[in-house]
Amino acid sequence: MSPARPDTDAALAAALRPGGVRSVFQPIVELDTGAVVAYEALARGPEGPLQRPDLLFAAAREAGALAELDAACRVAAFSGAARHGLPAPLALFVNVEPEVLDTAPLDELLAIAAEAPGGLRVVLEITERALATRPAELLRTVARVRELGWGVALDDVGADAMSLAFMPILRPDVVKLDLRLVQERPGPAIAEIMNAVNAYAQTTGAAVLAEGIENDAHLAMARALGATLGQGWLFGRPAPEPACDRPLGSLPPPVEDAAGGIEPGSPFACLPPGTPLRRSPKALLIELSKQLEREALRLGETCVVTATFQEARHFTPSTTQRYRDLVERTGFVCALGEGLPSEPLPGLRGADLALEDPVRGEWDVVVLAPHFSVSLLARDLGTTGPDLQRQFEYALTYDRDVAVRAARSLLGRVVPRAQGAASARHAAPTPVPAAAPAVLGEQLLGDPALVHRALEATPSGVCLVDVRLPDQPLVYVNPAFARLAGVPAEELLGRNCRFLQGSDTDPGALARIRAAVAAGEECREVLLNHRGPERTPWYNELHLAPVTDATGTVVQYIGVQVDVTEQVLAQRALEQERDRTRGYLARIEELSVTDPITGLPTRRHVEEQTETALWNARCAGDAVALVVVAVDGFASIEERYGSTAAEQLLAATGQRLRARLRRGDLVARWARDSFVVVLPGLAAGSAGREADRVRTELAEAARGPVLLAGAPVVTEVSTGAACFPADGDDVAGLLAVAERAAGRLPVSPS
């Protein structure tokens, strides 16, 4: 521990002593009845600088004592529950840190739980951080927990799309909604989360628990989101003892897992007996895999993609480009194969398959999302011939249970990010055969000439920079480096390689390179360089790694350069095409919700927005007003001046109405000759007066003369208003009241 912080270190040491951590208990209630069904045990440190749990866990993580602290917190939770006699059928929610998932000792907790009066039902809370960092350990822990008869809760759902992606794989008994879902204004992201969570709860019977309920508005929102359980200050703050004087209830029964636990075999073995198998060359499987990858990109951040590649050599440069896109646009991606590192490219999780692993002989791609699942599961038949003609037997299935089992099978092999991720991030994906490294290493070390010939023969540019010399000059370049630079080798030695750069080289990339060299770390960047006297631009994928002497001091840097100009230009062309496509899609979407005559939103679009406004008003206790503005004698105007002139009248009227409204007000052409205006967020006590004032102003604006066929035409309008909740509680009811007030019968939309 650092001697520079004696107070913090002493507080951490005190926390790690027996009894140093204490638990406080916060109730979890059934929203419909108010009955307490569980308590969550929340850790608190000893009095002092680490009393807050966030500070306590940060200090333990920095000191390398996270496992000890996590175990102490669980012991405190169980001991406190047993000491206070938490009665059946109540449950106890406890947390586990992701970093210690696979080593968490459960035996001592079992003994404590067994001593609790009437038994104790335990629910282990898993956070989103565990999903991405240690998926294999997470699945093993969940299997152990379920064997004990305990439950699983997925915590902070909605804080990140990752939780939605892993929900069908973990099959939690309780889904805990992040507090921002009940405390913030609804939007598209919350709607997406609600859609996925409610679909999962409906199909599995899982309970939905809303956190952060502090007032009645939060409670109303929690119910609207589909939550049946709640937690927050409205029901009770964390206390040293569980309050057992309230009505008691129980959690719903555990979720049944039709797909089973962790699959010890391979994805292909997950296919049900009798599944029809087809025979295919590798070339077809490549195209099928690309199609599934495109489906995953469409699904976005709520999607998990797991894939196998048999051997690392099959993870080609074109595959790398595709999987970079998947990493950027989906929730979680892993790729497994013999010789693949733990992170084949930044953000892509991996695993090196043993030769005897059955997955080594398979071609598997699984795409899993809340509302979609597909599995391409293939087995190599061992045929010979050209690589693209190698034969596989395969099944393409949309069976969700098969997809879950196959994904678990592969995720159970993924290496934790904490183990060697930094060095593996830039590791080359091409493996050396398992039996070769020792022999090859002895040959190279014993024959410097062989090392030199190997470097001379490599197609990648290789250089050595001496960081001990002034200006860090090049002291070695191979022929490939000279070709890439467009300068003879003898003119390169002794120069700093900055001459390859130009004014258009990314200064941010250069700054990152300088920072890495100053820190003695490796780095990888793509730079715009210039070749030869002509200064021809080309893109250089540069990988720099430090070379140390016997004392560990960095004395040189070795650089490997690859010309990736074609890939960069292709990627930029693809991005431009994507931007153009997004622009077209945005325009199509705009046209789909816009009335072509008036340019105002369509009736359907405003109806949807009005429903949202009514929902917000119910939660906040506000009012909403709806005003009808109908053009009198429209049919006569159309008959006299023609349909084109009548449309001009409608367009002018619509724009006049829009100009008199606030930014957040809604206006739409509702019927052939009428408009509807919606005024959200009004004060309940003055909504009627405000609606009448706006109705009068709109009528005056609409009556202004419009030039039709060269002549000014003054139109008359009829108006009527209705308010929520006084006159109705939905769009149809408010519309009927407003139209009656305008002296009109409801009319069909055009």
Side-chain angles (χ1 to χ4, degrees):
M1 298 181 185
S2 170
R5 299 175 304 149
D7 292 343
T8 300
D9 294 343
L12 179 59
L16 295 178
R17 296 190 192 104
V21 177
R22 59 189 175 89
S23 286
V24 293
F25 300 88
Q26 186 173 32
I28 296 172
V29 307
E30 193 175 52
L31 295 184
D32 287 343
T33 65
V36 177
V37 298
Y39 281 90
E40 180 175 2
L42 304 170
R44 297 291 185 267
E47 295 288 339
L50 298 184
Q51 183 173 355
R52 281 174 39 189
D54 55 340
L55 300 177
L56 177 62
F57 275 85
R61 186 176 286 106
E62 183 178 348
L66 189 60
E68 294 88 339
L69 176 61
D70 194 62
C73 291
R74 287 194 302 277
V75 170
F78 278 67
S79 301
R83 183 172 61 255
H84 297 302
L86 201 67
L90 293 181
L92 178 69
F93 281 60
V94 294
N95 294 274
V96 63
E97 280 296 305
E99 294 94 325
V100 299
L101 273 175
D102 208 31
T103 59
L106 299 182
D107 292 341
E108 56 183 309
L109 304 184
L110 279 175
I112 297 172
E115 297 175 359
L120 184 64
R121 182 178 177 186
V122 178
V123 178
L124 197 67
E125 291 195 31
I126 306 294
T127 63
E128 289 181 329
R129 288 179 293 126
L131 304 179
T133 55
R134 308 178 75 85
E137 287 80 357
L138 172 63
L139 292 176
R140 283 195 289 271
T141 299
V142 168
R144 293 167 66 199
V145 164
R146 293 199 185 282
E147 288 175 0
L148 299 174
W150 295 358
V152 174
L154 184 55
D155 198 10
D156 297 333
V157 171
D160 190 282
M162 180 74 70
S163 57
L164 302 181
F166 270 77
M167 202 158 48
I169 296 174
L170 291 178
R171 300 278 291 187
D173 306 291
V174 179
V175 178
K176 296 189 72 175
L177 301 179
D178 185 66
L179 57 85
R180 73 180 182 86
L181 271 68
V182 300
Q183 295 184 357
E184 294 183 4
R185 186 182 183 91
I190 291 180
E192 180 182 29
I193 296 164
M194 177 184 174
N195 191 23
V197 169
N198 280 271
Y200 171 76
Q202 184 175 349
T203 56
T204 64
V208 179
L209 191 161
E211 296 183 290
I213 301 177
E214 299 177 359
N215 53 48
D216 290 337
H218 294 165
L219 176 59
M221 180 62 75
R223 286 197 171 105
L225 290 170
T228 57
L229 305 176
Q231 183 179 7
W233 290 357
L234 185 64
F235 309 116
R237 300 195 178 202
E241 296 184 13
C244 299
D245 56 345
R246 303 174 60 175
L248 302 183
S250 62
L251 290 175
V255 169
E256 293 185 6
D257 191 357
I262 300 176
E263 303 300 328
S266 69
F268 193 85
C270 296
L271 290 170
T275 299
L277 299 177
R278 304 173 185 176
R279 187 167 176 143
S280 164
K282 176 182 175 180
L284 176 59
L285 295 185
I286 291 175
E287 296 307 319
L288 289 175
S289 299
K290 290 180 179 178
Q291 176 58 33
L292 299 193
E293 293 163 9
R294 287 190 288 269
E295 288 286 347
L297 292 173
R298 179 182 61 83
L299 293 166
E301 294 182 344
T302 61
C303 177
V304 168
V305 181
T306 60
T308 62
F309 288 87
Q310 294 191 301
E311 301 174 39
R313 63 188 176 90
H314 298 312
F315 198 82
T316 63
S318 63
T319 307
T320 300
Q321 292 294 333
R322 301 200 313 272
Y323 272 71
R324 279 191 179 126
D325 284 345
L326 286 171
V327 167
E328 291 175 0
R329 295 170 56 185
T330 63
F332 181 93
V333 191
C334 69
L336 288 68
E338 181 189 351
L340 275 175
S342 61
E343 199 164 8
L345 57 90
L348 176 64
R349 305 301 300 282
D352 181 2
L353 297 177
L355 189 62
E356 66 276 7
D357 193 320
V359 177
R360 168 67 177 74
E362 295 186 9
W363 181 306
D364 305 310
V365 179
V366 181
V367 176
L368 189 61
H371 308 291
F372 179 84
S373 60
V374 63
S375 307
L376 172 62
L377 309 178
R379 181 166 55 191
D380 195 336
L381 295 176
T383 57
T384 58
D387 185 60
L388 291 179
Q389 295 305 313
R390 288 195 296 123
Q391 296 293 304
F392 292 76
E393 59 178 356
Y394 79 96
L396 182 65
T397 175
Y398 296 86
D399 186 313
R400 189 168 187 80
D401 290 340
V402 171
V404 170
R405 294 182 64 195
R408 285 175 176 169
S409 174
L410 297 181
L411 288 170
R413 293 168 163 86
V414 171
V415 177
R417 175 168 285 161
Q419 298 179 4
S423 60
R425 178 179 295 271
H426 304 303
T430 303
V432 176
V439 176
L440 182 61
E442 291 171 2
Q443 292 174 349
L444 292 177
L445 290 174
D447 187 358
L450 184 58
V451 176
H452 187 270
R453 288 198 297 272
L455 292 174
E456 296 287 298
T458 181
S460 299
V462 179
C463 67
L464 280 175
V465 173
D466 197 323
V467 297
R468 299 167 297 181
L469 299 177
D471 205 29
Q472 300 180 349
L474 293 164
V475 295
Y476 168 80
V477 296
N478 72 342
F481 184 98
R483 288 194 298 271
L484 290 172
V487 178
E490 58 270 21
E491 296 181 21
L492 294 172
L493 299 179
R495 301 175 64 182
N496 187 290
C497 56
R498 73 171 66 90
F499 77 93
L500 295 170
Q501 302 154 14
S503 59
D504 46 359
T505 302
D506 181 9
L510 296 176
R512 289 190 294 272
I513 291 174
R514 285 193 291 268
V517 172
E521 299 173 347
E522 66 174 303
C523 65
R524 186 190 295 272
E525 293 288 346
V526 174
L527 293 173
L528 178 62
N529 282 352
H530 297 82
R531 180 179 293 119
E534 302 81 14
R535 305 296 289 168
T536 304
W538 63 286
Y539 285 93
N540 173 19
E541 187 179 60
L542 173 64
H543 184 194
L544 289 175
V547 180
T548 59
D549 62 12
T551 67
T553 302
V554 176
V555 294
Q556 293 179 331
Y557 260 83
I558 184 169
V560 178
Q561 297 184 316
V562 179
D563 187 346
V564 293
T565 303
E566 291 185 4
Q567 295 95 310
V568 171
L569 295 180
Q571 180 66 24
R572 291 189 173 183
L574 179 60
E575 291 172 354
Q576 290 175 355
E577 187 62 29
R578 284 178 185 164
D579 292 340
R580 187 158 43 246
T581 301
R582 290 192 185 105
Y584 292 151
L585 292 175
R587 180 56 179 159
I588 291 172
E589 183 177 357
E590 179 184 351
L591 292 174
S592 70
V593 297
T594 303
D595 175 58
I597 294 176
T598 63
L600 298 175
T602 61
R603 171 174 178 162
R604 180 178 178 182
H605 185 56
V606 169
E607 274 184 311
E608 294 173 351
Q609 292 181 300
T610 304
E611 292 291 353
T612 300
L614 293 175
W615 185 17
N616 293 340
R618 292 188 189 98
C619 296
D622 293 336
V624 177
L626 185 149
V627 179
V628 170
V629 179
V631 179
D632 295 336
F634 180 80
S636 300
I637 295 173
E638 187 176 34
E639 182 178 354
R640 179 177 179 182
Y641 296 98
S643 59
T644 300
E647 290 175 356
Q648 293 174 355
L649 173 65
L650 290 174
T653 303
Q655 294 309 312
R656 289 173 176 176
L657 297 179
R658 175 72 271 176
R660 290 297 185 98
L661 299 174
R662 302 172 300 176
R663 181 183 295 273
D665 295 338
L666 309 173
V667 58
R669 183 189 174 203
W670 201 259
R672 181 170 175 268
D673 58 353
S674 67
F675 300 84
V676 161
V677 172
V678 179
L679 311 173
L682 301 180
S686 60
R689 296 190 299 274
E690 180 66 10
D692 285 338
R693 183 189 66 78
V694 173
R695 181 179 60 82
T696 301
E697 290 184 3
L698 294 178
E700 293 174 355
R703 290 191 183 103
V706 178
L707 196 65
L708 300 180
V713 176
V714 177
T715 59
E716 293 294 327
V717 295
S718 300
T719 61
C723 293
F724 165 89
D727 301 319
D729 60 358
D730 60 11
V731 176
L734 294 172
L735 181 65
V737 172
E739 287 189 320
R740 282 196 298 271
R744 294 171 57 88
L745 295 175
V747 294
S748 301
S750 60

